[in-house]
């Protein structure tokens, strides 16, 4: 899929405010890719399409995820906010005929992160978290950490997400913990 086709698909799928967010994510992802490498084409397409399913009906997203067999556990208990990432990868593959594993995995993990993320996944995950329109303090901390390393930025994004959810006594998707632990262990081993 070409960038222009992807942009048109999300322009039709998203309200203007979310489309503007998407374009800031693309710009941020391109900057991170210049700094940290990765497949620039896959990063660009995944960044454009990362929120493709954001405004879909949660029941439709949950049904698609369940039918796919993507998870052995029921993810409904973790809230609807994370569904669009996993369902988005499924819908992008089915509806837009994107078959790049790098693109689909970056879309699927852009909200929760996961252990073993590729450079492309890390960049899309972090770009979504730190794009300039994100004004909460956690985004600023992750932005600063990303100046030192991609992994430091991702670790800060995971830490801030865990703190935010735990302060509100909300469930935290296991992939986020696993990603955080991987980054923390990597940081400790590099001392």
């Amino acid at each position: 899929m070409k960038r222009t086709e992807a942009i048109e698909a999300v322009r039709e799928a998203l309200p203007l405010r979310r489309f503007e967010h998407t374009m800031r994510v693309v710009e941020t992802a391109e900057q991170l890719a210049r700094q940290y490498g990765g497949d620039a084409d896959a990063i660009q397409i995944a960044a454009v399409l990362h929120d493709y399913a954001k405004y879909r009906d949660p029941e439709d997203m949950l049904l698609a995820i369940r039918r796919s067999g993507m998870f052995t556990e029921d993810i409904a208990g973790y809230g609807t906010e994370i569904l669009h990432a996993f369902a988005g990868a499924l819908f992008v593959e089915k509806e837009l005929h994107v078959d790049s594993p790098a693109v689909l995995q970056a879309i699927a993990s852009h909200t929760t992160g996961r252990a073993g993320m590729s450079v492309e996944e890390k960049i899309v995950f972090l770009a979504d978290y730190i794009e300039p329109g994100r004004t909460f303090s956690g985004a600023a901390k992750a932005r600063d950490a990303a100046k030192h390393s991609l992994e430091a930025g991702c670790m800060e994004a995971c830490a801030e997400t865990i703190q935010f959810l735990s302060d509100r006594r909300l469930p935290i998707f296991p992939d986020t913990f696993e990603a955080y632990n991987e980054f923390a262990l990597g940081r400790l081993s590099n001392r």
Side-chain angles (χ1 to χ4, degrees):
M1 171 168 262
K2 294 184 174 138
R3 176 189 167 116
T4 54
E5 295 169 321
I7 289 171
E8 284 312 307
V10 296
R11 190 187 312 269
E12 291 175 18
L14 303 175
L16 179 60
R17 192 172 122 258
R18 182 54 58 166
F19 178 75
E20 291 169 345
H21 155 77
T22 295
M23 297 316 293
R24 290 190 302 270
V25 170
V26 172
E27 183 177 311
T28 303
E30 290 170 343
Q31 292 168 356
L32 290 169
R34 282 192 294 277
Q35 186 173 0
Y36 295 114
D39 180 334
D41 292 333
I43 291 166
Q44 188 177 84
I45 297 301
V48 171
L49 297 174
H50 80 281
D51 275 347
Y52 177 72
K54 182 81 172 172
Y55 294 93
R56 298 288 182 98
D57 180 84
E59 289 302 316
D60 291 343
M61 290 190 283
L62 195 53
L63 182 62
I65 293 166
R66 285 179 176 150
R67 283 184 178 159
S68 76
M70 190 180 284
F71 298 105
T72 56
E73 64 179 278
D74 187 3
I75 70 165
Y78 294 100
T80 59
E81 187 59 33
I82 66 170
L83 296 178
H84 77 281
F86 305 118
L90 297 170
F91 294 155
V92 162
E93 182 177 29
K94 182 179 178 183
E95 298 170 9
L96 303 179
H97 312 290
V98 173
D99 60 2
S100 164
V103 170
L104 298 173
Q105 188 59 62
I107 293 168
S109 60
H110 87 267
T111 301
T112 60
R114 69 179 185 97
M117 284 195 286
S118 66
V119 171
E120 294 80 12
E121 287 175 88
K122 290 174 190 174
I123 286 174
V124 174
F125 170 78
L126 187 57
D128 183 44
Y129 196 84
I130 68 170
E131 63 91 347
R134 304 285 201 192
T135 57
F136 54 93
S137 65
K141 290 178 186 177
R143 239 180 249 119
D144 286 343
K147 292 174 186 172
H148 304 288
S149 79
L150 181 59
E151 289 72 21
C154 289
M155 181 176 158
E156 191 62 42
C158 289
E160 290 293 325
T161 299
I162 290 167
Q163 187 67 53
F164 175 85
L165 294 170
S166 64
D167 285 350
R168 286 154 185 79
R169 304 297 185 255
L170 295 170
I172 301 164
F173 197 68
D175 285 0
T176 306
F177 280 123
E178 291 171 12
Y180 172 82
N181 284 337
E182 182 176 86
F183 294 125
L185 289 169
R187 191 177 122 256
L188 291 174
S189 70
N190 289 330
R191 285 185 172 182

